[in-house]
Amino acid sequence: MKKILILFISLLLFYSCDNEVDIVTPVVDASGFLDQTYPLPENVKPIMEGVYEVTKGNELLGDQVVVKWNRDRLSIFAGKNGGYLVLESGYLDSVIFFMGYWRYSTNTETGAVTFYIPANEGGSEILSGDTTFTTIKFIGQYGNGNELAAIPLTLKYKRPFSQEVLQGNFEILAHRGGGRNSDYLGVSENSIEMINISERFGTTGIEIDARLTRDGVPFLYHDSDINLRLCQKSLIWGNVEDFTWEQLRTLITLRNGEKIPSLREALEFTLEHTNLQVVWLDTKDVDVVAESIELLTEINERAVLMGRDLKIYLGIPADDIYTKFLEQPNYLNVPSLCELSIDQVREANSKIWAPRWTQGTQTANVQQMHSEGRDAYTWTLDDANYIEQFINEGEFDGILTNYPTIVSYYHYIQQ
Amino acid sequence: MQSIKIIMLVGLISFAILPQSEDKTYSLSAEVGLGYSRYFTTMDYSELNKNGFSGTVRIMWNPEHLLSIGLETGYQSLYSFDISGYETEFGSTNISASMYSVPIFIVFSMKVIPNLKLTAGSGAYLLYNSGEFFGDELSSSQISIGGHAGISYTYPLNNSMAIGGELLYSYFSKLQDQTVALQVLFAYDFLKW
């Protein structure tokens, strides 16, 4: 009787757990100041990229940061708590202005940030396209939560990215299109909206999850069932693959209000609206393998015709998917990424071998893959210490992570 | 919500330490409840019908303690939704959808005063979803953990039978929604020793 009572009380306590987290959304550019500035010319943006010393505001970012443009936003990656800044920009006269937010990847702390680069601290030289500038200084403030940005934060140019970084082909791959719902990024995992912002976190590639509807439409979704981790409350519940595309599309709303995307929509968006170079298409069920191959082949061909540096790989995460893959006609020519043994990588002619990170850096095996003309990615590496170790000591060509901002930091600071 | 759960927990612990009954009779009883249930959700479909039927069947073991233990199953409709001419990106359609649950619970009940009992149970809800959309059948099922708490009053008809009413609050973890049911309750001691 006592055991049953304890079990019952445990269940009651379990129900009491509430994992809702309130994330403060910092107020950014409430006055619309940036609307009154001119957009920065594309050709001057790379001039300001590099490694910077933090001269004020070390308590927020640590001692040095990485400054990197990603499409239309300037991102700054720090070594402390996976800290990062995402900034919009504009210029007036010879002064460059930035407004945005900071956030720690590993917790929910965030706040507003403002910067400017004065004309005599690099602004004029950057805007004139002068790559032989004498200095660049970001002068600004940050705030915590909803506070106005008022705490001093200053960055000073230290050095450009190393030749190894600039000439290498290292891929920073973001999990579930850019991040998980549990990372509270404001958009839902495996959504078009997530893919749209993923480059702000430094990603050069994404991993997305594909399933197949009852009527044969591949779509993006991680779990096997409709649940409140991924979706808002809806009229339908149960196994997602029990429903048709029309039913899912109409009746399911993702956690942050987005519609569930088809795989075609996600891949076409990636092709046409991002600069992402790699898509790791993780197949969650054997039924989606054939349709995924058909679609990725079409999009890869379109990328070649567009002159776009994008490659989509079919993920082979398990033996049942592997067996199904080998049943496909012409599978040897399908770009694939195999998480299984090296022998299976060879038999499937996968272009990428992707072992779990807990198996270590496996330098000899990675070198063997390189000698066979294959790349090697590891997954899903989130711990900052191991990320640093794998980047400095390993020879992997890419890391799949939930914290691409941390991988970006350690990748770009390499000497 | 949180406070209700805490009250349930404190109440359960408090009742468990009440003195034992002097009645040394053991019995097995069947309790059948039938009634109305109301679904409480944050889903914002104005056409959602939240009224439905509730039925429970319990087999309870009643020892010499005030606390009884048993198993419960039953049926509870959660919602139904019927709308014509619903506009979607695929065109206009009729939608019908409904959900009901079948509990498989361990249940505890405690006589607070003669004829008045508090009941609490926990276990799994089998959730069944069905309907139609664009001419395609909607059909799925899943399991959710859940729990309920209730208060009942029964009036003895004779030594073995009683009739009364029960107010039952149920929580569905997977849906993070609740129901409140009002049932007529029949109790029958079918085995005594």
Side-chain angles (χ1 to χ4, degrees):
Chain A
M1 179 64 92
K2 264 188 183 172
K3 285 181 182 174
I4 292 169
L5 196 61
I6 290 167
L7 175 67
F8 180 72
I9 290 169
S10 302
L11 281 168
L12 276 178
L13 291 173
F14 178 79
Y15 299 140
S16 303
C17 294
D18 188 348
N19 57 7
E20 285 295 318
V21 174
D22 291 326
I23 300 290
V24 172
T25 305
V27 177
V28 175
D29 195 14
S31 64
F33 172 74
L34 287 179
D35 293 340
Q36 301 162 40
T37 63
Y38 299 103
L40 281 178
E42 288 300 316
N43 65 308
V44 307
K45 290 180 176 178
I47 296 173
M48 64 185 82
E49 291 186 340
V51 179
Y52 284 67
E53 179 188 359
V54 181
T55 53
K56 287 182 185 171
N58 308 65
E59 70 283 356
L60 180 74
L61 299 176
D63 294 334
Q64 68 175 1
V65 293
V66 166
V67 171
K68 179 86 175 67
W69 279 94
N70 295 291
R71 276 169 60 197
D72 57 343
R73 298 287 197 283
L74 184 75
S75 299
I76 298 178
F77 306 115
K80 184 177 177 184
N81 295 335
Y84 64 95
L85 289 68
V86 178
L87 305 163
E88 296 180 67
S89 64
Y91 77 93
L92 277 178
D93 298 327
S94 293
V95 182
I96 305 172
F97 297 93
F98 300 90
M99 289 186 171
Y101 67 92
W102 67 270
R103 168 83 196 270
Y104 285 146
S105 297
T106 52
N107 60 40
T108 57
E109 290 181 59
T110 185
V113 176
T114 62
F115 277 123
Y116 67 99
I117 302 177
N120 61 351
E121 298 277 10
S124 296
E125 289 163 302
I126 291 169
L127 289 169
S128 64
D130 182 359
T131 56
T132 61
F133 56 86
T134 49
T135 185
I136 298 177
K137 192 179 268 187
F138 285 73
I139 300 172
Q141 294 90 31
Y142 74 94
N144 293 303
N146 274 328
E147 297 170 2
L148 287 175
I151 306 169
L153 180 63
T154 306
L155 315 177
K156 185 179 177 188
Y157 187 83
K158 196 171 165 186
R159 63 174 175 84
F161 298 139
S162 68
Q163 287 304 305
E164 183 186 352
V165 167
L166 291 173
Q167 293 170 4
N169 197 26
F170 184 79
E171 302 293 351
I172 300 164
L173 302 156
H175 204 198
R176 302 186 191 174
R180 302 162 299 180
N181 284 359
S182 57
D183 297 318
Y184 303 104
L185 297 172
V187 294
S188 301
E189 64 182 59
N190 279 314
S191 67
I192 299 290
E193 290 76 1
M194 180 63 86
I195 295 171
N196 187 36
I197 67 166
S198 67
E199 288 163 282
R200 296 175 190 176
F201 313 130
T203 64
T204 59
I206 51 171
E207 181 264 8
I208 51 178
D209 303 294
R211 293 186 175 276
L212 196 69
T213 64
R214 198 179 79 199
D215 55 341
V217 178
F219 66 103
L220 262 56
Y221 197 82
H222 183 272
D223 296 355
S224 60
D225 66 341
I226 298 165
N227 59 61
L228 294 175
R229 187 185 78 77
L230 297 179
C231 307
Q232 296 179 3
K233 290 180 182 179
S234 77
L235 291 172
I236 55 175
W237 297 89
N239 188 337
V240 281
E241 291 166 345
D242 287 344
F243 299 100
T244 66
W245 170 240
E246 288 172 340
Q247 291 166 348
L248 286 178
R249 177 70 160 204
T250 304
L251 299 175
I252 292 295
T253 302
L254 296 178
R255 183 70 190 241
N256 290 290
E258 307 88 348
K259 285 294 177 189
I260 208 162
S262 69
L263 180 58
R264 173 175 289 281
E265 287 173 323
L267 295 182
E268 287 184 339
F269 183 88
T270 305
L271 174 69
E272 295 167 1
H273 299 286
T274 75
N275 295 325
L276 293 166
Q277 297 163 4
V278 172
V279 175
W280 173 339
L281 179 53
D282 196 2
T283 44
K284 305 307 285 186
D285 192 278
V286 291
D287 295 334
V288 79
V289 169
E291 283 77 3
S292 296
I293 289 173
E294 190 179 326
L295 198 49
L296 75 82
T297 302
E298 177 198 322
I299 304 293
N300 276 334
E301 287 172 358
R302 284 171 57 183
V304 171
L305 290 173
M306 291 168 65
R308 175 82 163 75
D309 181 16
L310 172 68
K311 200 76 173 176
I312 304 162
Y313 298 95
L314 186 88
I316 304 175
D319 285 328
D320 56 343
I321 305 283
Y322 176 75
T323 304
K324 189 75 175 179
F325 181 71
L326 296 190
E327 292 170 4
Q328 305 304 309
N330 205 24
Y331 71 88
L332 290 173
N333 294 321
V334 174
S336 65
L337 177 153
C338 183
E339 299 176 25
L340 308 175
S341 70
I342 284 177
D343 287 340
Q344 287 168 298
V345 169
R346 291 179 180 130
E347 190 172 352
N349 193 28
S350 294
K351 302 292 180 283
I352 297 166
W353 175 52
R356 189 189 290 262
W357 76 271
T358 49
Q359 294 172 18
T361 51
Q362 303 192 79
T363 303
N365 285 336
V366 172
Q367 288 173 346
Q368 178 61 37
M369 289 290 96
H370 289 163
S371 71
E372 296 176 15
R374 307 180 208 278
D375 283 346
Y377 299 165
T378 191
W379 59 276
T380 299
L381 183 47
D382 291 343
D383 182 272
N385 293 326
Y386 282 112
I387 288 172
E388 183 179 15
Q389 180 194 338
F390 272 63
I391 286 176
N392 292 331
E393 299 172 16
E395 296 187 15
F396 282 106
D397 305 284
I399 291 177
L400 173 62
T401 178
N402 289 303
Y403 302 125
T405 55
I406 300 177
V407 177
S408 295
Y409 173 77
Y410 285 110
H411 170 64
Y412 288 111
I413 64 167
Q414 287 180 97
Q415 294 280 5
Chain B
M1 168 57 81
Q2 197 79 348
S3 57
I4 292 172
K5 290 173 189 170
I6 291 167
I7 290 167
M8 279 171 57
L9 186 61
V10 171
L12 190 75
I13 294 168
S14 306
F15 291 136
I17 59 173
L18 284 176
Q20 296 180 356
S21 162
E22 291 185 3
D23 182 0
K24 297 296 183 187
T25 305
Y26 292 67
S27 70
L28 279 175
S29 63
E31 295 177 1
V32 177
L34 299 170
Y36 160 83
S37 88
R38 173 78 180 178
Y39 182 55
F40 293 90
T41 178
T42 51
M43 267 197 293
D44 59 356
Y45 292 101
S46 56
E47 301 85 354
L48 203 63
N49 176 15
K50 301 172 189 173
N51 302 315
F53 169 78
S54 173
T56 54
V57 178
R58 295 182 197 129
I59 302 295
M60 302 296 294
W61 175 53
N62 309 300
E64 77 275 29
H65 300 280
L66 295 178
L67 188 68
S68 300
I69 185 171
L71 295 173
E72 178 187 305
T73 187
Y75 171 97
Q76 195 169 52
S77 56
L78 303 187
Y79 61 80
S80 61
F81 181 88
D82 284 285
I83 187 168
S84 303
Y86 188 81
E87 290 299 330
T88 77
E89 66 183 277
F90 308 102
S92 180
T93 185
N94 301 333
I95 301 179
S96 69
S98 64
M99 178 173 274
Y100 67 91
S101 71
V102 174
I104 298 173
F105 274 13
I106 292 175
V107 184
F108 299 86
S109 69
M110 174 79 70
K111 278 183 186 167
V112 184
I113 54 173
N115 303 337
L116 188 70
K117 283 202 301 189
L118 293 177
T119 302
S122 186
Y125 279 112
L126 309 179
L127 299 172
Y128 295 93
N129 201 191
S130 61
E132 194 174 307
F133 182 84
F134 272 114
D136 287 309
E137 185 190 346
L138 285 167
S139 180
S140 68
S141 63
Q142 65 180 330
I143 295 174
S144 167
I145 57 173
H148 67 33
I151 184 166
S152 62
Y153 179 85
T154 50
Y155 179 79
L157 298 175
N158 56 38
N159 265 353
S160 303
M161 296 176 71
I163 188 168
E166 180 178 52
L167 187 66
L168 194 64
Y169 163 85
S170 303
Y171 178 71
F172 304 83
S173 174
K174 189 113 188 171
L175 312 180
Q176 293 182 14
D177 284 336
Q178 304 98 47
T179 59
V180 172
L182 189 59
Q183 300 189 133
V184 176
L185 199 63
F186 303 93
Y188 174 57
D189 289 341
F190 60 90
L191 188 62
K192 289 184 182 176
W193 65 97

